Amino acid sequence: MILGIGSDLANIERIEATLARFGDRFLARVFTEHEQRKAASRPHGVAATYAKRWAAKEACSKALGTGLRMGIAWKDMAVTNLPTGQPVMHVTGWAAERLQAMTPAGHEAVIHVTLTDDHPWAQAFVVIEARPLAALPADAAGPGRT
């Protein structure tokens, strides 16, 4: 079942201008150390890397049903990549609490994220899915559990 959907479109040139104006202060406020290392490892497209992650954080906050308010911090949402390159969204802090609160009993939440950019735009979509937990075999469930 779908719990939330969010999308965002970020202007890469706007992120580039923000980086030039605020530099490390902006990076420290919005992006985790891992996200900063990922962007720094890119020979070209540092601003595009940050813009995609900015859009992912915005999209995730929308999928959580809050937007960037109600205690969610920028760094409560972070994007990493699998070895295949597939982006993965991680939530901590209040974002994780919100995710847990919106996940029905007997389900686990799965956050799907996709990122793209085509200068001057970066875009992200986030879908939060609730998957039923796998049922335990009857003999492993223990007394009173099914």
Side-chain angles (χ1 to χ4, degrees), residues 86-142:
Q86 177 183 347
V88 178
M89 177 65 71
H90 304 274
V91 294
T92 59
W94 199 90
E97 291 174 22
R98 171 68 181 149
L99 181 62
Q100 183 178 4
M102 65 190 286
T103 304
H107 290 74
E108 66 177 338
V110 179
I111 303 174
H112 303 277
V113 60
T114 186
L115 310 172
T116 191
D117 67 285
D118 187 10
H119 194 84
W121 301 107
Q123 187 174 37
F125 287 96
V126 171
V127 175
I128 301 175
E129 172 190 11
R131 287 187 188 159
L133 294 171
L136 293 172
D139 60 338

Side-chain angles (χ1 to χ4, degrees), residues 3-5 59-67 69-70 72 98 102 128:
L3 298 178
I5 299 172
C60 185
S61 71
K62 293 171 185 175
L64 289 168
T66 63
R69 57 185 176 89
M70 296 178 60
I72 292 181
R98 171 68 181 149
M102 65 190 286
I128 301 175

Side-chain angles (χ1 to χ4, degrees), residues 42-60:
R42 300 287 172 113
H44 305 292
V46 170
T49 299
Y50 282 126
K52 286 186 282 190
R53 279 149 179 77
W54 172 280
K57 292 168 188 264
E58 287 273 8
C60 185

